[in-house]
Amino acid sequence: MDERTALQKMVRESRRVVFFGGAGMSTESGIPDFRSEDGLYRQQFRYPPETMLSIDFYRAHPEEFYDFYRKKMICLDAQPNAGHYKLAELERAGKLSAVVTQNIDGLHQQAGNKRVYELHGSVHRNLCRKCGRIYDARFILNSEGLPRCACGGLLKPDVVLYGEPLDEKTVEGSIAAIREADLLVIGGTSLAVWPAAGLIDYYRGKRLVLINRTETPADGRADLVLRASIGQVLGALRVEEGGEA
């Protein structure tokens, strides 16, 4: 049995699939990542990206923060790929119970997934620090200088910046979904970003699948490892009538 046939069989035999995804899911939609050879961390800026995307930098240099954020973090032209759409199809069929993602682009929701735990937040929500009003990403992209609320308050993207903790309710929901899963599919992540990567340790099931182009620290624990395009692998899954896959 080849790897893709084995994955199809696992999905068919499961009833509570959880997908845990990272940047590789979005790079196939044209969104640059951070750590690859062409990622943001290897590009030259006045400050390191980790510094510019920190809460301390946002507070001390908001103008420079937003200059970088608009240019590099908001990609509204990106569209979901075959992998995103297949996960949404699996959810509608009653096979997929949740998506846990490290991405902030909202592509899972755009594809149709409803139960998505965004560990690092979303560029599509931007909150006024004064009154709490929410603005979308296009408002930030089209604003000049410091984006401000109608009340005059400065906006902050609802993303987890370096130096900030993960949202407690999002983490709790992610842990519960992973713990209750009977198949955990990890895709497009090097599992190098903590504490998010540590959440997979809560998995108690017997089917663990890894889809990533490079090695990860969890490869040795996986029942199935696929070194391939995540969009192509997921997109090729068949979801039959009646919820069977």
Side-chain angles (χ1 to χ4, degrees):
M1 183 184 302
D2 64 30
E3 295 169 340
R4 300 196 183 195
T5 302
L7 175 60
Q8 182 74 55
K9 182 175 184 293
M10 287 184 181
V11 173
R12 181 184 301 115
E13 295 174 348
S14 302
R15 290 295 176 268
R16 297 182 305 280
V17 182
V18 168
F19 176 78
F20 181 96
M25 192 73 186
S26 296
T27 55
E28 294 190 20
S29 290
I31 296 178
D33 67 355
F34 280 70
R35 291 173 172 77
S36 70
E37 184 175 343
D38 298 318
L40 289 179
Y41 283 177
R42 296 178 182 268
Q43 298 178 30
Q44 296 299 314
F45 302 101
R46 181 179 178 185
Y47 301 96
E50 306 99 305
T51 298
M52 288 188 285
L53 291 175
S54 70
I55 186 62
D56 289 341
F57 193 84
Y58 164 82
R59 290 169 176 161
H61 308 281
E63 296 90 350
E64 290 178 272
F65 168 86
Y66 269 111
D67 182 56
F68 178 80
Y69 184 80
R70 288 188 186 98
K71 292 177 180 176
K72 297 297 183 180
M73 305 305 293
I74 302 178
C75 304
L76 298 187
D77 292 334
Q79 296 297 315
N81 59 55
H84 291 106
Y85 285 117
K86 185 61 64 173
L87 291 173
E89 185 180 354
L90 287 168
E91 183 181 81
R92 289 192 297 271
K95 301 286 287 185
L96 183 83
S97 58
V99 169
V100 179
T101 181
Q102 299 174 78
N103 299 329
I104 61 175
D105 48 55
L107 291 181
H108 286 291
Q109 292 94 327
Q110 189 175 336
N113 277 112
K114 303 299 183 184
R115 192 181 181 193
V116 181
Y117 294 103
E118 297 173 307
L119 293 172
H120 296 151
S122 172
V123 298
H124 296 284
R125 298 185 301 271
N126 301 273
L127 287 71
C128 173
R129 299 181 65 188
K130 185 176 180 181
C131 72
R133 182 175 175 179
I134 300 175
Y135 291 80
D136 63 17
R138 195 162 296 281
F139 179 88
I140 300 295
L141 198 60
N142 293 337
S143 63
E144 296 181 2
L146 294 178
R148 292 192 178 276
C149 176
C151 76
L154 179 64
L155 302 187
K156 179 189 177 296
D158 188 21
V159 300
V160 179
L161 301 177
Y162 288 98
E164 290 188 302
L166 301 185
D167 178 73
E168 186 175 339
K169 289 185 178 180
T170 302
V171 171
E172 290 174 353
S174 302
I175 289 173
I178 291 171
R179 183 181 284 139
E180 295 167 3
D182 58 5
L183 169 60
L184 178 61
V185 179
I186 302 172
T189 174
S190 63
L191 295 175
V193 178
W194 289 77
L199 297 184
I200 68 170
D201 292 336
Y202 290 93
Y203 180 55
R204 297 292 182 266
K206 296 181 179 180
R207 303 181 182 98
L208 178 61
V209 176
L210 271 162
I211 308 170
N212 202 53
R213 294 183 184 276
T214 59
E215 293 183 5
T216 80
D219 284 6
R221 297 162 49 185
D223 300 287
L224 182 64
V225 177
L226 294 93
R227 296 272 183 261
S229 159
I230 188 168
Q232 291 179 8
V233 171
L234 293 180
L237 288 173
R238 299 184 307 279
V239 181
E240 301 168 1
E241 293 184 8
E244 292 298 319

